[in-house]
Amino acid sequence: MLISRTLLSVVVLFLSARAAADTCGLPDANADYRLIFEENFDGSGLDRGRWDTEFLWGPGVIINNESQYYVNDGQFGYEPFSVSDGVLTIKADKAPFDRSQLYLTRSIYSSSAIELLWRAPEGAVSYGIYRDGQRQGSASGGSFLQTGLRDGIDYAYEVRALDRAGNVLVTAQLTVNTADRPTPGTQQAFTLGLAASVYSPTVAELQWLSPNRASRYEVYRDGALYRSLSGSDYKSLYEVGLVEGRDYRYRVVAYDRCDERIIEQSLTLNTGSGVTPPVTASERLVVRSSIYSDSTADIGWNAVRGARRYLIHDNGALVADTDGRSLFIDDLVPGVDRRFLVIALDADGNELDRTTRVLNTADNSFALNRQPYLSGIITSYNSLRFRYGRVEARARMPAGKGLWSAFWLLNAYYKQDQPEDPEIDIIEAIGDRVTTANHAYHYQDDLDGDGFFTDRQSTEMRASISDFSADFHTYRVDWEPQRIVWYVDDVETGRVEGEQVSDEQMYLIANLAVGGNFPGPADSMTPFPALFEIDYIRVWQR
């Protein structure tokens, strides 16, 4: 399952609050394999404490032009996972559309342009479009383009479906903010971004960026260990009692969960250089959001000229009165809108500006409107990340045009100082090629020597096997330093050797896709529901 580099450049990656099992040591070539992870699916359902059911980089992400939506816990009343007699079944099926509904969604094209999109309900011949209660126009089809919007502002749209007599059949509402558009990332060298802000001759603050696999930090001052900070949330150190005119030499070192050094950076701080200028304020208030998981996000806003404090309302209730410019939220529910209102006040309590931000960690309308199939994915990101090992699954994959079932390993951390971003596809089963096992190793390289690992390298192999849809087979990979060996039913079917074999930690993924670049689309003969059955998944290490 090839992951788009463009996709990785726009996602925001945050770690779950759940503890993760990380294996860090190098293998002992003389030792026997020891079982470190085993899932026999012997419960009454999928263990969601062990398995995540969405891609790490966000709810509802679609890759490789696939046609399915991976359903997370409790979405759409559809359950793609079932466990019976020690076998997990991942089911893909046609999305159940209700012909009485609009399934309103949107595409954002720029900071000022959006398009509303919907499905035609039965009996509808025209549509009225309203924004913040004011009529914007009409449409005869399933879309409406609007330009001239202001960036970072919530707009509340309503679409009314009308019959031939002009009667309203159904309405749908949607809040749109052009700040939610994906923005391509720029290539930047990996850095802590260490900087300092001086607040007075005796007070300053060190600030840095948190690497996505950071576990702890050591802060040195004038060559000696000064502070040890345990936890990935540390991004600053507040310093008081400094002496004006004196140089303080700081060095911040970040370590990962395996206690390996990630990166370090140094700076010299002298409060005698003067107070750091405040952030430039603007006349208008703009609220932006970052979604970290299906339950966590934050909103942040710019400094408004003359503002001394900000009021934050959550669905109408005042939740903060602060001079800060951000709010963390940890109780979001996928599919449920949360409307946050931010009001900027001056020193006398007069309102300077206000704007809203609606958060929803699951864009349900997008899934139901655009993706014709629903399916499932499981990953071990929050239960097992490991370096090297023997990985095996016993499974039966479905047959049918456009079906793409896979069992694979993906690197646990993206784009920072582990630049190779490896992926090991243990088995990719294309539903209309039931006697072929597809294996692949993908990684990033720096072919032009510019310091950026942006050149995708791939080794792909195919092996002939008996029908993977008729019976269960075992699919295995042995991943060792400078060697990856693939097996089907304990028979070697491919290998890659050399320095290109990465040592970055990886985690397990099993999924059932429909359509996409590799298998092509499903057709009228594709059997649904399609079933990907897994008997067990095991990981051993030396």
Side-chain angles (χ1 to χ4, degrees), residues 216-405:
R216 68 180 184 90
Y217 300 90
E218 290 180 351
V219 180
Y220 294 80
R221 191 169 84 173
D222 297 331
L225 181 61
Y226 178 61
R227 292 282 190 275
S228 291
L229 307 174
S230 295
S232 60
D233 294 334
Y234 284 103
K235 298 178 183 179
S236 64
L237 180 66
Y238 195 76
E239 289 283 75
V240 298
L242 301 176
V243 177
E244 185 177 10
R246 175 186 164 184
D247 282 344
Y248 293 89
R249 294 177 292 109
Y250 289 93
R251 180 165 62 98
V252 178
V253 186
Y255 293 87
D256 67 10
R257 291 167 183 77
C258 296
D259 213 33
E260 294 183 355
R261 174 191 166 280
I262 302 173
I263 190 173
E264 65 178 62
Q265 195 169 350
S266 302
L267 64 73
T268 299
L269 170 65
N270 191 318
T271 59
S273 60
V275 175
T276 304
V279 176
T280 302
S282 62
E283 297 289 346
R284 302 306 304 267
L285 179 66
V286 175
V287 180
R288 301 188 182 275
S289 66
S290 295
I291 293 176
Y292 305 144
S293 72
D294 59 5
S295 62
T296 59
D298 71 22
I299 56 173
W301 50 93
N302 61 297
V304 175
R305 188 169 294 118
R308 294 295 178 267
R309 59 194 179 96
Y310 302 88
L311 304 180
I312 301 95
H313 296 261
D314 178 356
N315 281 349
L318 180 66
V319 293
D321 182 344
T322 178
D323 59 0
R325 296 204 309 276
S326 66
L327 177 72
F328 183 77
I329 306 105
D330 63 0
D331 59 348
L332 297 169
V333 177
V336 177
D337 282 349
R338 288 277 287 279
R339 183 180 297 275
F340 294 88
L341 168 66
V342 181
I343 304 173
L345 304 177
D346 65 14
D348 297 322
N350 300 310
E351 182 177 321
L352 299 175
D353 200 7
R354 66 167 58 197
T355 190
T356 60
R357 204 71 171 92
V358 174
L359 299 184
N360 191 324
T361 57
D363 190 351
N364 296 7
S365 61
F366 177 85
L368 290 174
N369 186 56
R370 295 299 187 84
Q371 299 303 104
Y373 304 96
L374 301 179
S375 188
I377 183 171
I378 60 171
T379 90
S380 73
Y381 181 80
N382 284 299
S383 61
L384 179 69
R385 296 187 287 263
F386 60 98
R387 178 166 58 185
Y388 299 127
R390 169 173 289 174
V391 183
E392 182 176 87
R394 182 174 184 267
R396 177 163 59 191
M397 279 76 163
K401 180 73 172 67
L403 300 179
W404 183 5
S405 47

Side-chain angles (χ1 to χ4, degrees), residues 65-143:
N65 293 318
E66 295 163 14
S67 300
Q68 83 293 328
Y69 181 97
Y70 289 127
V71 174
N72 201 9
D73 194 10
Q75 289 180 294
F76 320 132
Y78 181 84
E79 178 54 70
F81 310 104
S82 61
V83 174
S84 178
D85 297 326
V87 174
L88 168 69
T89 299
I90 302 176
K91 179 178 68 173
D93 209 349
K94 296 178 180 179
F97 294 113
D98 184 344
R99 290 298 309 279
S100 68
Q101 300 299 313
L102 280 168
Y103 297 116
L104 179 62
T105 187
R106 85 290 184 270
S107 288
I108 302 175
Y109 299 127
S110 71
S111 62
S112 60
I114 63 103
E115 187 174 23
L116 299 177
L117 302 145
W118 58 87
R119 297 183 70 87
E122 192 169 9
V125 297
S126 64
Y127 306 87
I129 316 300
Y130 296 80
R131 189 185 80 195
D132 299 327
Q134 301 296 314
R135 183 177 174 85
Q136 303 296 300
S138 61
S140 57
S143 65

Side-chain angles (χ1 to χ4, degrees), residues 3 14 42 165 175 211 213 219 226 314 422 513 532:
I3 301 300
F14 278 80
D42 51 8
T175 299
R213 64 188 179 101
V219 180
Y226 178 61
D314 178 356
F532 177 14

